[in-house]
Amino acid sequence: MARKYFGTDGIRGKVGESSINPHFVTKLGWAAGKVLAGRGTNKVLIGKDTRISGYMLESAMEAGLSAAGINIGLLGPMPTPAIAYLTKTFRSEAGIVISASHNPYYDNGIKFFSADGMKLDDDIEIAIEAMMEQDMVCVASDKLGKASRIDDAAGRYIEFCKGNFPSELSLTGLKIVVDCAHGATYHIAPNVLRELGADVVEIGTKPDGLNINDKVGATSMKAVTELVLSEKADLGFALDGDGDRIMLVDHKGNVLDGDQIVYIIARDALKSGRLKGGVVGTVMSNLGLEMGLSKLGIQFERSKVGDRYVMELLQAKGWSIGGESSGHVINLNATSTGDGIVAGLQVLTAMLHAEMSLYELSQGMEKYPQTLINVRFNAGSSPEHHPAVIEAVNNAESDMGETGRVLLRKSGTEPLIRVMVESRDAATSDKWAQHIADEVKKATV
């Protein structure tokens, strides 16, 4: 069934418009509360990132849930994966995240976790949307939900993260730059690494409600890269605003994306006998990841873009490790969702196991040059099916053989065809991407 409000990652938008305003969020809290109450729920956790609108939306969500008779545990600013973990720890029936992840401060969003720390089932989201169409009716005063603040949430999550690092290892002697994007990990990530022995240099740990993801974090790697080099650090962590994504920087200033991180984690799991099945990426995952895993004898499958789809394919295959090049990394042996801090700790574990620097460890995977061109087309048309476009794609694939790949993908939010070509040779990628994009433009006339 088509969704009116929920996308692949909850509900997101600009604050004050459409669905991200107090009126809508109160109604959403009530609708979610009514649906969850009908399934036996009586307690829900709410966490948020550091953007200023979080206070307003948290209050609205709390009011709606209370009106539906649901008790609320308030976590305050916490990373998205922490909310998933704490939902399970507190035996809550659901967890709610108020965050727009890597977006600017003027955006915000709502997403839900189930009792097992996974995304809500489709049927529950559909039921919530249906309930949104009903008139909001408050329960009797003696049935209203109560709210309480959970003061030790950060400490519990810090211990969970540390528990995902082998007790026989230590980070003593490693200097690590940590960029928290002025987001939800600002009071978590530096403490985790310090308590494991690292010498930590912080950046992006002074949120003011307006500076989340502003020239810092996983979507803006310049600041952390410069600091790694100036501090002569061993490596750098760059997390996004809600902490479910991570990018890394080695001591030479090279940026490692999610594909390279997944490769390192999977290879270490294989060597230590902990790898369960293969690895899941997306249609946008670099061909170098697929080739590198193949050399190790590790199976690789691609899902649609979105960590939700990576998770679905992992569960369908019975595998554990997957991710996206954007830095979402999932390891179901440790977590129930993408977790930037835990993924970073798993890379550090691999470094210590191999007794290698991050630079040396990353050399096993050759990252293929990737060219992406967006072509606007007339809404309602399908230029990707035009004979000339198909011929151009076939010619490119024939020319590159197994050393290249072509992907044509329609944007889900605007009339754009994304033309992506990757090859071992950058000039080849550029040449074929431009040729195919030109044919798509002609087909749109």
Side-chain angles (χ1 to χ4, degrees), residues 13-15 49 51 53 100-108 209-214 219:
K14 192 170 184 179
V15 175
D49 64 25
R51 61 196 77 216
S53 59
S101 188
H102 58 280
N103 287 27
Y105 79 92
Y106 48 76
D107 290 334
N108 217 327
L210 305 176
N211 59 1
I212 188 170
N213 301 313
D214 185 13
T219 56

PDB file of all heavy atoms in Angstrom, residues 13-15 49 51 53 100-108 209-214 219:
ATOM      1  N   GLY A  13      11.191  16.111   7.030  1.00  0.00           N
ATOM      2  CA  GLY A  13      10.857  17.311   6.280  1.00  0.00           C
ATOM      3  C   GLY A  13      11.392  18.552   6.959  1.00  0.00           C
ATOM      4  O   GLY A  13      12.092  18.490   7.975  1.00  0.00           O
ATOM      5  N   LYS A  14      11.042  19.698   6.398  1.00  0.00           N
ATOM      6  CA  LYS A  14      11.471  20.975   6.957  1.00  0.00           C
ATOM      7  C   LYS A  14      10.583  21.342   8.139  1.00  0.00           C
ATOM      8  O   LYS A  14       9.366  21.187   8.082  1.00  0.00           O
ATOM      9  CB  LYS A  14      11.408  22.067   5.889  1.00  0.00           C
ATOM     10  CG  LYS A  14      12.097  23.362   6.292  1.00  0.00           C
ATOM     11  CD  LYS A  14      12.213  24.315   5.111  1.00  0.00           C
ATOM     12  CE  LYS A  14      12.989  25.559   5.514  1.00  0.00           C
ATOM     13  NZ  LYS A  14      13.137  26.502   4.375  1.00  0.00           N
ATOM     14  N   VAL A  15      11.203  21.808   9.204  1.00  0.00           N
ATOM     15  CA  VAL A  15      10.461  22.144  10.427  1.00  0.00           C
ATOM     16  C   VAL A  15       9.462  23.269  10.148  1.00  0.00           C
ATOM     17  O   VAL A  15       9.794  24.272   9.513  1.00  0.00           O
ATOM     18  CB  VAL A  15      11.428  22.567  11.549  1.00  0.00           C
ATOM     19  CG1 VAL A  15      10.649  23.036  12.780  1.00  0.00           C
ATOM     20  CG2 VAL A  15      12.354  21.416  11.915  1.00  0.00           C
ATOM     21  N   ASP A  49      18.093  13.997  18.496  1.00  0.00           N
ATOM     22  CA  ASP A  49      19.434  14.521  18.301  1.00  0.00           C
ATOM     23  C   ASP A  49      19.486  15.943  18.877  1.00  0.00           C
ATOM     24  O   ASP A  49      18.633  16.310  19.700  1.00  0.00           O
ATOM     25  CB  ASP A  49      19.877  14.428  16.838  1.00  0.00           C
ATOM     26  CG  ASP A  49      19.042  15.272  15.879  1.00  0.00           C
ATOM     27  OD1 ASP A  49      18.434  16.272  16.317  1.00  0.00           O
ATOM     28  OD2 ASP A  49      19.011  14.949  14.678  1.00  0.00           O
ATOM     29  N   ARG A  51      19.309  19.048  17.391  1.00  0.00           N
ATOM     30  CA  ARG A  51      18.771  20.233  16.706  1.00  0.00           C
ATOM     31  C   ARG A  51      17.689  20.899  17.556  1.00  0.00           C
ATOM     32  O   ARG A  51      16.956  20.242  18.304  1.00  0.00           O
ATOM     33  CB  ARG A  51      18.312  19.896  15.287  1.00  0.00           C
ATOM     34  CG  ARG A  51      17.230  18.891  15.155  1.00  0.00           C
ATOM     35  CD  ARG A  51      17.169  18.382  13.706  1.00  0.00           C
ATOM     36  NE  ARG A  51      18.226  17.418  13.426  1.00  0.00           N
ATOM     37  CZ  ARG A  51      18.859  17.313  12.266  1.00  0.00           C
ATOM     38  NH1 ARG A  51      18.516  18.077  11.248  1.00  0.00           N
ATOM     39  NH2 ARG A  51      19.811  16.420  12.096  1.00  0.00           N
ATOM     40  N   SER A  53      14.804  22.140  17.142  1.00  0.00           N
ATOM     41  CA  SER A  53      13.395  21.759  17.027  1.00  0.00           C
ATOM     42  C   SER A  53      13.066  20.486  17.786  1.00  0.00           C
ATOM     43  O   SER A  53      11.898  20.160  17.982  1.00  0.00           O
ATOM     44  CB  SER A  53      13.017  21.577  15.552  1.00  0.00           C
ATOM     45  OG  SER A  53      13.829  20.584  14.947  1.00  0.00           O
ATOM     46  N   ALA A 100      16.801  14.176  11.947  1.00  0.00           N
ATOM     47  CA  ALA A 100      16.888  14.175  10.489  1.00  0.00           C
ATOM     48  C   ALA A 100      18.290  13.756  10.047  1.00  0.00           C
ATOM     49  O   ALA A 100      18.755  14.168   8.985  1.00  0.00           O
ATOM     50  CB  ALA A 100      16.527  15.546   9.915  1.00  0.00           C
ATOM     51  N   SER A 101      18.961  12.993  10.901  1.00  0.00           N
ATOM     52  CA  SER A 101      20.232  12.356  10.551  1.00  0.00           C
ATOM     53  C   SER A 101      21.266  13.369  10.079  1.00  0.00           C
ATOM     54  O   SER A 101      21.688  14.240  10.821  1.00  0.00           O
ATOM     55  CB  SER A 101      19.974  11.270   9.500  1.00  0.00           C
ATOM     56  OG  SER A 101      21.122  10.509   9.272  1.00  0.00           O
ATOM     57  N   HIS A 102      21.667  13.278   8.806  1.00  0.00           N
ATOM     58  CA  HIS A 102      22.734  14.117   8.263  1.00  0.00           C
ATOM     59  C   HIS A 102      22.224  15.439   7.690  1.00  0.00           C
ATOM     60  O   HIS A 102      23.018  16.243   7.200  1.00  0.00           O
ATOM     61  CB  HIS A 102      23.467  13.348   7.159  1.00  0.00           C
ATOM     62  CG  HIS A 102      22.566  12.902   6.050  1.00  0.00           C
ATOM     63  ND1 HIS A 102      21.778  11.778   6.150  1.00  0.00           N
ATOM     64  CD2 HIS A 102      22.320  13.437   4.834  1.00  0.00           C
ATOM     65  CE1 HIS A 102      21.085  11.634   5.030  1.00  0.00           C
ATOM     66  NE2 HIS A 102      21.391  12.628   4.229  1.00  0.00           N
ATOM     67  N   ASN A 103      20.914  15.691   7.752  1.00  0.00           N
ATOM     68  CA  ASN A 103      20.343  16.917   7.195  1.00  0.00           C
ATOM     69  C   ASN A 103      20.701  18.139   8.044  1.00  0.00           C
ATOM     70  O   ASN A 103      21.081  18.020   9.193  1.00  0.00           O
ATOM     71  CB  ASN A 103      18.815  16.802   7.116  1.00  0.00           C
ATOM     72  CG  ASN A 103      18.356  15.875   6.012  1.00  0.00           C
ATOM     73  OD1 ASN A 103      19.076  14.964   5.629  1.00  0.00           O
ATOM     74  ND2 ASN A 103      17.162  16.097   5.515  1.00  0.00           N
ATOM     75  N   PRO A 104      20.514  19.363   7.491  1.00  0.00           N
ATOM     76  CA  PRO A 104      20.764  20.590   8.258  1.00  0.00           C
ATOM     77  C   PRO A 104      19.786  20.743   9.421  1.00  0.00           C
ATOM     78  O   PRO A 104      18.767  20.048   9.491  1.00  0.00           O
ATOM     79  CB  PRO A 104      20.553  21.704   7.217  1.00  0.00           C
ATOM     80  CG  PRO A 104      20.647  21.034   5.880  1.00  0.00           C
ATOM     81  CD  PRO A 104      20.147  19.643   6.094  1.00  0.00           C
ATOM     82  N   TYR A 105      20.075  21.705  10.296  1.00  0.00           N
ATOM     83  CA  TYR A 105      19.289  21.872  11.530  1.00  0.00           C
ATOM     84  C   TYR A 105      17.829  22.196  11.276  1.00  0.00           C
ATOM     85  O   TYR A 105      16.954  21.893  12.100  1.00  0.00           O
ATOM     86  CB  TYR A 105      19.906  22.977  12.396  1.00  0.00           C
ATOM     87  CG  TYR A 105      19.555  24.375  11.932  1.00  0.00           C
ATOM     88  CD1 TYR A 105      18.447  25.045  12.448  1.00  0.00           C
ATOM     89  CD2 TYR A 105      20.322  25.035  10.962  1.00  0.00           C
ATOM     90  CE1 TYR A 105      18.108  26.326  12.017  1.00  0.00           C
ATOM     91  CE2 TYR A 105      19.992  26.291  10.525  1.00  0.00           C
ATOM     92  CZ  TYR A 105      18.890  26.938  11.055  1.00  0.00           C
ATOM     93  OH  TYR A 105      18.549  28.199  10.614  1.00  0.00           O
ATOM     94  N   TYR A 106      17.524  22.834  10.124  1.00  0.00           N
ATOM     95  CA  TYR A 106      16.146  23.267   9.878  1.00  0.00           C
ATOM     96  C   TYR A 106      15.244  22.123   9.400  1.00  0.00           C
ATOM     97  O   TYR A 106      14.053  22.307   9.207  1.00  0.00           O
ATOM     98  CB  TYR A 106      16.101  24.431   8.891  1.00  0.00           C
ATOM     99  CG  TYR A 106      16.928  24.240   7.635  1.00  0.00           C
ATOM    100  CD1 TYR A 106      16.506  23.408   6.604  1.00  0.00           C
ATOM    101  CD2 TYR A 106      18.145  24.910   7.489  1.00  0.00           C
ATOM    102  CE1 TYR A 106      17.264  23.236   5.470  1.00  0.00           C
ATOM    103  CE2 TYR A 106      18.916  24.739   6.348  1.00  0.00           C
ATOM    104  CZ  TYR A 106      18.475  23.912   5.340  1.00  0.00           C
ATOM    105  OH  TYR A 106      19.241  23.737   4.213  1.00  0.00           O
ATOM    106  N   ASP A 107      15.805  20.949   9.211  1.00  0.00           N
ATOM    107  CA  ASP A 107      15.011  19.750   8.933  1.00  0.00           C
ATOM    108  C   ASP A 107      14.903  18.919  10.213  1.00  0.00           C
ATOM    109  O   ASP A 107      15.735  19.028  11.113  1.00  0.00           O
ATOM    110  CB  ASP A 107      15.668  18.881   7.860  1.00  0.00           C
ATOM    111  CG  ASP A 107      15.628  19.518   6.486  1.00  0.00           C
ATOM    112  OD1 ASP A 107      14.717  20.326   6.232  1.00  0.00           O
ATOM    113  OD2 ASP A 107      16.517  19.211   5.674  1.00  0.00           O
ATOM    114  N   ASN A 108      13.875  18.096  10.272  1.00  0.00           N
ATOM    115  CA  ASN A 108      13.795  17.116  11.352  1.00  0.00           C
ATOM    116  C   ASN A 108      12.929  15.957  10.887  1.00  0.00           C
ATOM    117  O   ASN A 108      12.352  16.004   9.785  1.00  0.00           O
ATOM    118  CB  ASN A 108      13.256  17.710  12.656  1.00  0.00           C
ATOM    119  CG  ASN A 108      13.942  17.115  13.881  1.00  0.00           C
ATOM    120  OD1 ASN A 108      14.328  15.948  13.894  1.00  0.00           O
ATOM    121  ND2 ASN A 108      14.110  17.924  14.924  1.00  0.00           N
ATOM    122  N   GLY A 209      22.192  23.615  18.880  1.00  0.00           N
ATOM    123  CA  GLY A 209      20.861  23.508  18.295  1.00  0.00           C
ATOM    124  C   GLY A 209      20.791  23.905  16.837  1.00  0.00           C
ATOM    125  O   GLY A 209      19.858  23.524  16.129  1.00  0.00           O
ATOM    126  N   LEU A 210      21.802  24.664  16.392  1.00  0.00           N
ATOM    127  CA  LEU A 210      21.789  25.175  15.019  1.00  0.00           C
ATOM    128  C   LEU A 210      22.980  24.701  14.192  1.00  0.00           C
ATOM    129  O   LEU A 210      22.987  24.868  12.973  1.00  0.00           O
ATOM    130  CB  LEU A 210      21.787  26.717  15.027  1.00  0.00           C
ATOM    131  CG  LEU A 210      20.674  27.398  15.828  1.00  0.00           C
ATOM    132  CD1 LEU A 210      20.882  28.913  15.812  1.00  0.00           C
ATOM    133  CD2 LEU A 210      19.305  27.049  15.271  1.00  0.00           C
ATOM    134  N   ASN A 211      23.982  24.133  14.838  1.00  0.00           N
ATOM    135  CA  ASN A 211      25.226  23.815  14.115  1.00  0.00           C
ATOM    136  C   ASN A 211      25.386  22.342  13.768  1.00  0.00           C
ATOM    137  O   ASN A 211      26.437  21.923  13.298  1.00  0.00           O
ATOM    138  CB  ASN A 211      26.435  24.295  14.907  1.00  0.00           C
ATOM    139  CG  ASN A 211      26.534  23.668  16.297  1.00  0.00           C
ATOM    140  OD1 ASN A 211      25.694  22.849  16.682  1.00  0.00           O
ATOM    141  ND2 ASN A 211      27.552  24.062  17.063  1.00  0.00           N
ATOM    142  N   ILE A 212      24.363  21.530  13.980  1.00  0.00           N
ATOM    143  CA  ILE A 212      24.452  20.104  13.659  1.00  0.00           C
ATOM    144  C   ILE A 212      24.758  19.913  12.174  1.00  0.00           C
ATOM    145  O   ILE A 212      24.153  20.551  11.301  1.00  0.00           O
ATOM    146  CB  ILE A 212      23.153  19.375  14.064  1.00  0.00           C
ATOM    147  CG1 ILE A 212      23.305  17.854  13.925  1.00  0.00           C
ATOM    148  CG2 ILE A 212      21.961  19.882  13.281  1.00  0.00           C
ATOM    149  CD1 ILE A 212      22.150  17.064  14.539  1.00  0.00           C
ATOM    150  N   ASN A 213      25.758  19.091  11.873  1.00  0.00           N
ATOM    151  CA  ASN A 213      26.180  18.769  10.496  1.00  0.00           C
ATOM    152  C   ASN A 213      26.691  19.978   9.713  1.00  0.00           C
ATOM    153  O   ASN A 213      26.808  19.910   8.481  1.00  0.00           O
ATOM    154  CB  ASN A 213      25.024  18.127   9.704  1.00  0.00           C
ATOM    155  CG  ASN A 213      24.508  16.854  10.328  1.00  0.00           C
ATOM    156  OD1 ASN A 213      25.281  15.983  10.716  1.00  0.00           O
ATOM    157  ND2 ASN A 213      23.191  16.743  10.457  1.00  0.00           N
ATOM    158  N   ASP A 214      27.005  21.067  10.385  1.00  0.00           N
ATOM    159  CA  ASP A 214      27.436  22.289   9.689  1.00  0.00           C
ATOM    160  C   ASP A 214      28.950  22.291   9.519  1.00  0.00           C
ATOM    161  O   ASP A 214      29.693  22.622  10.433  1.00  0.00           O
ATOM    162  CB  ASP A 214      26.973  23.513  10.479  1.00  0.00           C
ATOM    163  CG  ASP A 214      27.275  24.827   9.752  1.00  0.00           C
ATOM    164  OD1 ASP A 214      27.608  24.771   8.544  1.00  0.00           O
ATOM    165  OD2 ASP A 214      27.175  25.890  10.390  1.00  0.00           O
ATOM    166  N   THR A 219      29.337  14.002   6.536  1.00  0.00           N
ATOM    167  CA  THR A 219      28.999  14.582   5.234  1.00  0.00           C
ATOM    168  C   THR A 219      29.922  15.736   4.868  1.00  0.00           C
ATOM    169  O   THR A 219      29.758  16.340   3.803  1.00  0.00           O
ATOM    170  CB  THR A 219      27.542  15.091   5.224  1.00  0.00           C
ATOM    171  OG1 THR A 219      27.363  16.033   6.291  1.00  0.00           O
ATOM    172  CG2 THR A 219      26.572  13.930   5.396  1.00  0.00           C
TER     173      THR A 219
END
